[in-house]
Amino acid sequence: MSATLAPRVVVVSRRSELDELLAHHGTRAAAGYYLRRRGRDLSEVVTRHEALQAALTTVGAAIPADWRRGQVDRDDLTRFPFAAEDIVVAVGQDGLVANVAKYLDGQPVIGVDPEPGQNAGVLVRFGPEAVSRLLPAVVAGRAPVRERTMVRAALDDGQELIGLNEVYAGHPGHQSARYLLSTADGRRERQSSSGLVVGTGTGATGWCASIARERTAAPPLPAPDEPALCWFVREAWPSPATGASLTAGRLGPDETLEIVAERERLVVFADGLETDHLTMAWGQRLTVGRATRRLRLVEPASVPTDSSRHPTQRRRRRR
């Protein structure tokens, strides 16, 4: 931490479902009517909203009065200037940690579950009440921190993005994408598929796990801190012009995959944030491999294995 500046705690959250309903329908009565028409009860939504607000209040009260503080909504992460001395507290579901990880460079992250027992808890390891003891421990270097591998996707024009779970490259509507795939061992294949997914060990509990379960010969999925990645081609279509023999594999620490777009406007995004994406034009080259950055996630003293958890993300539906 800086010798001249007090630590800054940045609390990251996202709008609750109630907030989103009120933004769309205006009043609780209108939101309740909308939900009843769909077989749901407003009280469930209110309960979850209140749990999030209570967690944010507890976290805010845990920040020492002489420390600096900041707060950012998930939708504003692309515009928030994180500093090297920040401690990030993500209050929400596991996916929120993945959303913020791509904008960090070594800052420690405390994942707070506002509804313990309701979320998978792969990345949000703590209840709100734990933050008051964790913050001094993080500053003093006493808090257990586990570094998790991340994935990097870079275009040949210098644009790049980082992901904690996975990177997707394909058609923006998850329809057929045409490209030339080159693997780390020098093999090449022209393909038409629903896209390419390259995942980390953290992502191996989510989307990549869903894909691997459907494959009879899927490669072994990496551990969260292992410097390796797994990759899968979704629904490759064999035809006279395209193949389907290169559909899964692993990447070592210094290995990469490359694809060259063979249709206009393929997109590349990380961790489900489709609004923050790269766009590939015809003939552009994308290189995907392990990122040099790693997520520094504060962990409990006794950490359960990720394999004992449930997936952090539901499988993405095709449109």
Side-chain angles (χ1 to χ4, degrees):
M1 295 297 170
S2 171
T4 59
L5 291 176
R8 184 175 72 161
V9 178
V10 179
V11 179
V12 182
S13 61
R14 61 175 297 182
R15 294 197 304 173
S16 69
E17 185 180 4
L18 178 62
D19 290 330
E20 293 175 347
L21 285 168
L22 292 177
H24 185 73
H25 297 285
T27 66
R28 288 198 179 195
Y33 176 77
Y34 172 81
L35 292 175
R36 286 195 300 274
R37 292 288 301 270
R38 286 153 180 79
R40 297 186 61 196
D41 194 320
L42 181 64
S43 62
E44 169 201 347
V45 176
V46 171
T47 297
R48 299 196 69 182
H49 172 83
E50 291 176 345
L52 175 60
Q53 295 306 309
L56 290 170
T57 299
T58 300
V59 169
I63 303 172
D66 58 343
W67 288 20
R68 296 173 300 139
R69 62 182 67 203
Q71 189 157 356
V72 58
D73 184 86
R74 187 189 74 160
D75 293 341
D76 297 323
L77 284 170
T78 56
R79 299 183 293 273
F80 189 83
F82 288 99
E85 68 273 9
D86 287 345
I87 301 171
V88 178
V89 182
V91 184
Q93 298 180 345
D94 290 308
L96 186 63
V97 175
N99 294 155
V100 72
K102 63 190 293 183
Y103 303 106
L104 303 178
D105 190 6
Q107 295 91 337
V109 178
I110 301 172
V112 173
D113 188 347
E115 299 178 275
Q118 299 300 310
N119 298 313
V122 174
L123 300 173
V124 287
R125 300 287 204 183
F126 299 98
E129 68 288 342
V131 175
S132 60
R133 63 176 173 81
L134 286 171
L135 291 176
V138 170
V139 172
R142 298 192 308 268
V145 173
R146 187 179 188 185
E147 293 193 344
R148 290 176 173 248
T149 296
M150 301 182 71
V151 56
R152 172 181 178 267
L155 288 176
D156 52 13
D157 62 4
Q159 297 183 79
E160 68 172 38
L161 55 75
I162 306 291
L164 175 63
N165 286 326
E166 71 276 315
V167 162
Y168 166 85
H171 188 276
H174 299 265
Q175 301 171 19
S176 295
R178 292 287 295 265
Y179 54 86
L180 175 65
L181 172 69
S182 299
T183 64
D185 58 4
R187 293 178 293 168
R188 305 176 74 192
E189 186 170 69
R190 183 164 279 104
Q191 295 185 339
S192 176
S193 78
S194 299
L196 174 73
V197 178
V198 184
T200 66
T202 300
T205 65
W207 195 2
C208 288
S210 298
I211 300 173
R213 279 195 294 268
E214 299 175 351
R215 305 292 176 94
T216 57
L221 301 179
D225 52 0
E226 186 179 354
L229 305 172
C230 55
W231 60 271
F232 299 94
V233 174
R234 302 170 63 222
E235 301 169 321
W237 177 254
S239 74
T242 59
S245 62
L246 304 179
T247 58
R250 275 174 63 104
L251 296 174
D254 300 315
E255 295 180 327
T256 61
L257 281 180
E258 290 186 348
I259 68 170
V260 176
E262 294 193 340
R263 67 172 295 173
E264 284 295 332
R265 200 173 180 273
L266 300 185
V267 298
V268 186
F269 59 81
D271 300 331
L273 276 179
E274 299 185 34
T275 55
D276 184 10
H277 65 266
L278 307 178
T279 301
M280 296 179 66
W282 187 292
Q284 272 201 291
R285 182 182 305 273
L286 178 77
T287 303
V288 187
R290 183 179 63 94
T292 55
R293 290 191 227 164
R294 295 166 70 87
L295 169 67
R296 299 184 65 239
L297 186 67
V298 178
E299 300 275 11
S302 178
V303 182
T305 61
D306 285 72
S307 61
S308 67
R309 300 283 187 170
H310 297 293
T312 61
Q313 295 180 329
R314 292 175 298 173
R315 186 186 176 197
R316 187 180 301 276
R317 294 178 295 130
R318 290 195 65 198
R319 296 178 181 176

